[in-house]
Amino acid sequence: MKPALEIDTPMTRAELRASLSLAGIYMLRMLGLFMILPVFSLYARDLAGSTPLLIGLAISAYGLTQAIFGIPFGMWSDRVGRKPVIAFGLLMFAGGSVVAALADSIYGVIAGRSIQGAGAVAAVVMALAADLTREEHRVKAMALIGVSIGISFAVSMVAGPIITGWIGVQGLFWLIGALALSGLAVLYWVVPNPAESVFHRDTQALPAQFLTVLREPELLRLDFGIFSLHLILTATFVVLPLVLRDFVHLETPQHGYLYLPVFVLSLLAMVPFVVMAEKKRKMKAVFLSFIGLIAVAEAGLVVLDDSLFGIGFLLFVFFTGFNLLEATLPSMISKVAPADLKGTAMGVYSTAQFLGAFVGGTSGGWIYGHYGLNAVFILGAAVAGLWLVLASGMRAPRHVSTLLVRVGAMAEDQARLLSEQLLGVAGVAEAVVVAEDGVAYIKADKQLLDRSALELLLAPAEAA
């Protein structure tokens, strides 16, 4: 009899190819969104009609359209297919880049950035990854895509200023458009075609269940967390490039050379705390501490806004906190969300993330225009402080991992019985078998899980 659980077996070559190529598409798109972040404020002063508010809006406009169209694009792909929707989104992104590159006013850049965000294919990429991987390896595929997001952000912050020094911001927009078009080549020449595209509860949002996840206080705390994190990030980079140029007297290309050691050291610094959070089961303590680090870094920028060493150190503190929280929040969503509604919870979470970026850019620009540079850092510290207060009331997350196992088609009463039997296995904290999906959605503590009992229980269903 074939074992039911294959989570310890390697991915097939086809699954690995699909996961890496889709991660590459995701990375190319995120590079396009983020490379403009550390340089646009410096360029925008020379655009016709530019004001601090409109500069912030141009930086963050993509967040609003991404939030609006992200979930609908995923639903659309269920009907017309994944690849056509991804291709359409990449073409929109490239088109928005061209509009921004040709713009001679701030309004043209705002339009271009809005079009970029409207090509909202993130959810569709996740759905295609789910089509191309077995349930038992879905988490690995999503992890590879998650890693690509982190890499793209780090590369963007370093490369954006350096490349802008070579080709200017207009040239950067042309490059961003070319990156989007190269994603099309990857999509059709490298990404395999799925045998079929079906709805996946672990990666896609189920609109009928939005109210269920919106009523869960623990999920709302995490949604507010990602909203706050990206609000703070975007607001900070409305003014930080100006601080580096006007107070520290760093030319634009040199900004990248400051960010490079900051990112390398911050990524190294966060690793022991990730281990502590997961292995030592100190998730809540680490989580709250790093929200505090964000608040301290923002407050420190008010005081040390003319010291290169001081800003470099505070950016190290900020990005150590940012990188850990950015990596930890999706994991916490997975632990808190109902086992069969992870995709819906992540859909709401992603919407909150992009809305946070939009609010951060617009509020940062407005506050800068009315109250000055330091007021934006004060905003960041205040938002982080509010987040810390709200997060302090959360329950300590359970140390569980998500397991998906295909059990095959079965009647509703069989699915209910199997769910009850799964809950009786040592280490299983939550189990839902969805008859129409033919999938068991399980949350288990891997340290306590009785794998032999779980395999024994699930193997007959698979063999049948």
Side-chain angles (χ1 to χ4, degrees):
M1 181 180 295
K2 179 183 174 184
L5 297 181
E6 298 182 355
I7 56 174
D8 294 325
T9 62
M11 301 174 79
T12 65
R13 178 174 292 184
E15 288 175 321
L16 189 59
R17 174 186 171 191
S19 301
L20 290 174
S21 57
L22 288 170
I25 291 173
Y26 211 117
M27 186 173 178
L28 290 169
R29 187 176 181 277
M30 297 308 288
L31 282 170
L33 287 176
F34 286 134
M35 271 203 292
I36 206 71
L37 185 63
V39 298
F40 186 74
S41 294
L42 303 172
Y43 160 77
R45 285 182 173 181
D46 298 328
L47 288 172
S50 180
T51 68
L53 172 61
L54 293 178
I55 291 171
L57 180 58
I59 291 171
S60 63
Y62 78 91
L64 180 61
T65 49
Q66 176 92 18
I68 291 171
F69 292 106
I71 292 174
F73 264 53
M75 297 168 62
W76 183 31
S77 74
D78 289 334
R79 295 193 297 272
V80 304
R82 313 292 189 211
K83 285 193 173 183
V85 174
I86 294 173
F88 178 76
L90 290 173
L91 287 171
M92 283 193 70
F93 191 90
S97 302
V98 171
V99 170
L102 295 174
D104 56 6
S105 75
I106 192 70
Y107 301 102
V109 177
I110 291 171
R113 291 287 278 174
S114 299
I115 295 169
Q116 282 183 329
V121 298
V124 190
V125 170
M126 296 293 192
L128 181 54
D131 288 337
L132 293 169
T133 54
R134 290 166 290 165
E135 287 80 6
E136 292 82 0
H137 297 290
R138 192 75 45 75
V139 173
K140 298 174 188 175
M142 298 307 152
L144 286 171
I145 293 174
V147 168
S148 77
I149 297 171
I151 293 173
S152 65
F153 180 72
V155 171
S156 296
M157 297 301 296
V158 174
I162 296 172
I163 294 173
T164 300
W166 298 338
I167 61 177
V169 171
Q170 284 185 314
L172 186 61
F173 276 121
W174 285 113
L175 175 61
I176 288 167
L179 290 175
L181 294 178
S182 68
L184 283 173
V186 175
L187 178 67
Y188 283 105
W189 293 346
V190 184
V191 178
N193 291 314
E196 62 175 345
S197 293
V198 297
F199 179 82
H200 305 277
R201 291 173 185 265
D202 58 311
T203 59
Q204 294 177 262
L206 191 63
Q209 296 297 329
F210 281 148
L211 284 178
T212 301
V213 300
L214 288 171
R215 288 177 182 144
E216 174 51 58
E218 297 300 312
L219 286 174
L220 289 177
R221 281 193 179 94
L222 298 174
D223 293 335
F224 180 77
I226 195 62
F227 174 89
S228 300
L229 189 62
H230 280 262
L231 184 159
I232 295 166
L233 174 73
T234 312
T236 297
F237 276 90
V238 171
V239 296
L240 183 64
L242 302 175
V243 170
L244 292 175
R245 184 186 68 182
D246 298 339
F247 289 78
V248 185
H249 308 297
L250 279 184
E251 295 300 322
T252 301
Q254 295 175 311
H255 295 195
Y257 299 117
L258 171 64
Y259 297 136
L260 177 59
V262 163
F263 265 96
V264 171
L265 293 174
S266 66
L267 289 170
L268 293 174
M270 67 173 262
V271 172
F273 295 97
V274 172
V275 174
M276 182 188 299
E278 293 288 352
K279 302 295 184 183
K280 303 297 184 182
R281 307 205 165 195
K282 301 290 186 182
M283 178 68 75
K284 181 176 179 180
V286 170
F287 185 74
L288 295 178
S289 297
F290 277 71
I291 298 173
L293 280 184
I294 295 284
V296 168
E298 289 288 317
L301 287 169
V302 177
V303 180
L304 299 176
D305 60 1
D306 60 351
S307 166
L308 177 60
F309 177 81
I311 290 175
F313 175 73
L314 291 171
L315 285 176
F316 161 72
V317 172
F318 177 88
F319 281 113
T320 301
F322 179 88
N323 292 331
L324 183 137
L325 294 167
E326 181 84 353
T328 302
L329 278 163
S331 172
M332 294 176 72
I333 288 280
S334 297
K335 297 177 191 300
V336 171
D340 59 331
L341 293 180
K342 177 187 170 186
T344 305
M346 286 301 299
V348 174
Y349 170 89
S350 296
T351 301
Q353 172 182 333
F354 289 111
L355 285 176
F358 172 71
V359 173
T362 52
S363 62
W366 185 86
I367 289 172
Y368 164 48
H370 285 78
Y371 302 105
L373 294 165
N374 282 338
V376 179
F377 299 133
I378 294 171
L379 168 69
V383 172
L386 175 60
W387 178 16
L388 181 60
V389 170
L390 293 176
S392 64
M394 73 181 190
R395 295 193 300 266
R398 297 176 299 175
H399 288 271
V400 294
S401 300
T402 300
L403 306 177
L404 278 70
V405 182
R406 175 155 293 280
V407 295
M410 59 179 62
E412 290 287 349
D413 57 341
Q414 291 176 302
R416 283 193 297 271
L417 176 60
L418 183 55
S419 298
E420 293 172 2
Q421 292 173 327
L422 288 169
L423 286 170
V425 174
V428 172
E430 193 175 336
V432 179
V433 180
V434 180
E436 62 180 306
D437 296 355
V439 174
Y441 300 88
I442 303 166
K443 287 187 180 181
D445 185 328
K446 288 188 175 181
Q447 290 186 11
L448 304 176
L449 181 61
D450 185 342
R451 287 175 178 258
S452 59
L454 190 59
E455 291 180 359
L456 185 64
L457 184 60
L458 290 170
E462 188 180 80

